[in-house]
Amino acid sequence: PAAAGAGAAAGAAGRAGDAIVGTPPGFESDAVFARMAANLRTQPRLPAKVEGSFGFTVTGGPGGAVAEWWVVARSDAAPRVAVGKPATKPDCLVTISDAHLVALAAGKLNGMSAYLSGKMKLKGDMRLAQKLAALIGAGPRSKL
């Protein structure tokens, strides 16, 4: 319990730009997790809409680095985004490259085609993975 609390405190998204404490340097997808944290903070109904937890293994970072994040978006728990391994087993495990996660969040890569082409691997609750768009969503996209 003490370790889980420390991890939550160290990894919880802050309000100052929603930076994730402990983020490995050089991962472009850090901005995607910061957006998820901001969405969870500013959209109080989002956890009930998603109703699950995710573990992300992001590959292809600087120098081939691999990083892990976890996201809790449930109505029965405090929403959070953190770096590292989750304290409990997530409902859905996602493995994706840094570049593909950024493309997915930008709307340049379709989630279903990413899964079918092997760019994104899923374990656990596949239906929950379909709710990633709501979690990542940034609202209306710019036409630029």
Side-chain angles (χ1 to χ4, degrees):
R15 289 183 182 246
D18 292 298
I20 311 298
V21 175
T23 297
F27 276 83
E28 291 183 33
S29 56
D30 180 50
V32 177
F33 292 103
R35 183 189 310 163
M36 287 185 208
N39 289 344
L40 286 167
R41 183 176 44 79
T42 61
Q43 299 174 40
R45 292 189 179 114
L46 186 58
K49 188 187 271 188
V50 175
E51 207 58 63
S53 61
F54 296 88
F56 288 87
T57 299
V58 181
T59 62
V66 175
E68 293 184 319
W69 279 266
W70 53 282
V71 178
V72 175
R74 313 178 68 91
S75 58
D76 64 351
R80 80 183 79 159
V81 177
V83 174
K85 290 193 181 283
T88 59
K89 183 179 176 185
D91 300 316
C92 183
L93 294 167
V94 180
T95 302
I96 190 168
S97 75
D98 191 41
H100 289 141
L101 183 54
V102 170
L104 185 71
K108 295 178 181 176
L109 178 64
N110 175 279
M112 184 59 77
S113 63
Y115 173 71
L116 292 174
S117 67
K119 293 177 181 174
M120 178 171 64
K121 294 182 171 90
L122 301 171
K123 266 186 169 179
D125 189 343
M126 301 292 200
R127 291 176 297 163
L128 186 58
Q130 295 174 346
K131 297 180 181 181
L132 273 174
L135 193 58
I136 294 172
R141 298 198 196 286
S142 168
K143 296 190 182 205
L144 296 178

